[in-house]
Amino acid sequence: MRYEIRVDGQMSDTLIAAFPELESFLVQHQTVLFGPVVDEAQLYGLLSRLQALGLRVAEMRRLPE
């Protein structure tokens, strides 16, 4: 499975480095993280990490294979 997670604001390089399993790019007022997620446990782990870092998820969606 591949997911796209849109985070409000521009994440710093340090914050992006906290997600080495994902790629990223910037769009207007958002950082987009995307990449493979092997199971629900990994997905919940990503979301927990985002929350722990004080980041707000604006949108999350599964991408077509």
Side-chain angles (χ1 to χ4, degrees):
M1 298 180 287
R2 293 180 50 81
Y3 276 84
E4 175 184 283
I5 302 169
R6 291 179 175 253
V7 176
D8 283 341
Q10 182 174 344
M11 291 172 60
S12 68
D13 291 339
T14 303
L15 286 174
I16 289 171
F19 300 91
E21 66 273 60
L22 300 175
E23 296 183 53
S24 67
F25 63 91
L26 300 174
V27 294
Q28 189 173 17
H29 308 294
Q30 290 184 331
T31 302
V32 180
L33 302 169
F34 65 97
V37 176
V38 295
D39 58 18
E40 271 189 31
Q42 183 184 9
L43 180 60
Y44 286 121
L46 289 170
L47 293 173
S48 291
R49 217 176 321 156
L50 287 161
Q51 182 180 23
L53 292 169
L55 300 168
R56 182 182 175 279
V57 175
E59 180 182 355
M60 180 183 76
R61 64 185 173 135
R62 186 173 171 189
L63 299 172
E65 295 297 322

